[in-house]
Amino acid sequence: MERKNSIIKRVIALAMCCVMAISLTACENNRGNSSEESSISNPITEPTEGTPVEPEQSIVDEINAAYAINDDVVGWLTVPGTEIDEQVVQGDDNKDYERWYWDKRDEDGDGVPDYSFYGCYFADAGNTFGNRNDLSRNTIIYGHNMHNVTTGDKDVLKFGALFRFVDFNGDGTIFGDDVETANDFSFAEQHPVIYFSTTDDEMVWVIYAAYFTDLGFQYHLENPDDATFQNIIDEGRARSRLDYDVDVNTSDRILTLSTCAYKYTDSVEKRDLRFVVQARLLRPGEEIPTTAKVSRNTDVKEPAQHATSTIAG
């Protein structure tokens, strides 16, 4: 399968977006930056290269079937233990639309009748795809949070399922889970990896952070320089609700899953947050972990009360 590269297809995609009535999103619009504005190009130490792994035929078939319907499909995302097991799409630009094209479209993307309130999983427009050596340093995937964290509705959809990583008392909510008596880390322990694959490569990603963040933290840069990349790694660890015993450095490629967060609902200023799960690519020769070694982060860097930025959620 070959990704769309021609100018003609990009023009067609843009035309489709322009004629579509762009609706309001479940999250506030914080997606104004283009990849040129959000990424830093130099200096960069190239991530360690690895040998691509030929995907299982079932994965190839799933991606190809999705691509036959919509050629904006770039890969397949699976988060074990959750309902997240679907194709990932990518639009042409992060800047040209008041609301991103894929924000509230389903995966078919072939007309207004296919409008979906839940949207789909979509990659940042600045990311590159292919095998593991073609990827950006930081592959960012966005999705809606459809989890009712107030009532504890466990029938979660889209990236609302990610909150299971920080549901420390197992009640289906993320309120009160940081008190000392809430010490159930079993979900994180039993689900140490994420799978994001393309038709060129089956890739395993080892989770190292799960956190709430204000919008001042620029975790969504696709190809930051070494110092900025190290800061993204360090900040993610500092904000993580759990300490993961996983080594990460600037020679790794990372995967960032981002969604809206409504943990802090006592004030309007605290509602405009994001919940992020980050993982690094399995290294050459490294075995896929079956469990994660985690402990409570006793010194979590809490989100700022007042923060503004242009980060997708």
Side-chain angles (χ1 to χ4, degrees), residues 105-175:
R105 298 285 299 225
D106 65 12
E107 293 83 358
D108 292 353
D110 59 355
V112 175
D114 292 319
Y115 173 89
S116 170
F117 177 75
Y118 301 116
C120 60
Y121 306 122
F122 58 102
D124 192 281
N127 282 131
T128 55
F129 295 95
N131 66 45
R132 65 190 63 206
N133 301 314
D134 299 320
L135 299 182
S136 309
R137 299 187 102 177
N138 183 9
T139 298
I140 308 112
I141 300 175
Y142 306 110
H144 278 311
N145 165 22
M146 308 308 294
H147 183 188
N148 189 333
V149 295
T150 303
T151 64
D153 180 5
K154 294 188 179 183
D155 186 21
V156 297
L157 293 170
K158 300 303 179 183
F159 273 176
L162 293 176
F163 289 98
R164 291 174 183 164
F165 286 100
V166 292
D167 179 13
F168 296 159
N169 56 13
D171 66 352
T173 77
I174 52 173
F175 294 113

Side-chain angles (χ1 to χ4, degrees), residues 39-236:
S39 295
I40 304 171
S41 58
N42 290 301
I44 290 179
T45 301
E46 289 297 324
T48 302
E49 293 194 354
T51 303
V53 176
E54 183 175 354
E56 295 286 338
Q57 188 60 46
S58 60
I59 295 176
V60 175
D61 291 344
E62 286 178 317
I63 298 175
N64 282 336
Y67 185 85
I69 297 172
N70 172 20
D71 63 3
D72 279 331
V73 171
V74 294
W76 197 273
L77 175 68
T78 302
V79 180
T82 76
E83 298 80 359
I84 302 167
D85 186 25
E86 293 180 13
Q87 62 264 47
V88 175
V89 295
Q90 182 184 42
D92 290 316
D93 200 295
N94 298 354
K95 186 176 182 180
D96 288 344
Y97 316 112
E98 182 180 0
R99 305 290 178 182
W100 279 16
Y101 178 64
W102 291 114
D103 197 26
K104 282 198 175 179
R105 298 285 299 225
D106 65 12
E107 293 83 358
D108 292 353
D110 59 355
V112 175
D114 292 319
Y115 173 89
S116 170
F117 177 75
Y118 301 116
C120 60
Y121 306 122
F122 58 102
D124 192 281
N127 282 131
T128 55
F129 295 95
N131 66 45
R132 65 190 63 206
N133 301 314
D134 299 320
L135 299 182
S136 309
R137 299 187 102 177
N138 183 9
T139 298
I140 308 112
I141 300 175
Y142 306 110
H144 278 311
N145 165 22
M146 308 308 294
H147 183 188
N148 189 333
V149 295
T150 303
T151 64
D153 180 5
K154 294 188 179 183
D155 186 21
V156 297
L157 293 170
K158 300 303 179 183
F159 273 176
L162 293 176
F163 289 98
R164 291 174 183 164
F165 286 100
V166 292
D167 179 13
F168 296 159
N169 56 13
D171 66 352
T173 77
I174 52 173
F175 294 113
D177 290 350
D178 297 318
V179 297
E180 291 184 3
T181 56
N183 292 301
D184 182 4
F185 309 144
S186 59
F187 186 87
E189 290 170 338
Q190 296 167 14
H191 300 93
V193 299
I194 297 169
Y195 297 89
F196 174 71
S197 301
T198 67
T199 54
D200 300 314
D201 202 343
E202 185 170 346
M203 292 171 281
V204 181
W205 306 78
V206 185
I207 299 170
Y208 70 86
Y211 57 90
F212 297 92
T213 180
D214 54 83
L215 302 184
F217 173 32
Q218 300 289 298
Y219 62 86
H220 72 313
L221 306 180
E222 306 97 339
N223 285 300
D225 62 35
D226 287 347
T228 305
F229 194 29
Q230 186 64 58
N231 181 67
I232 290 173
I233 294 169
D234 293 343
E235 278 287 305

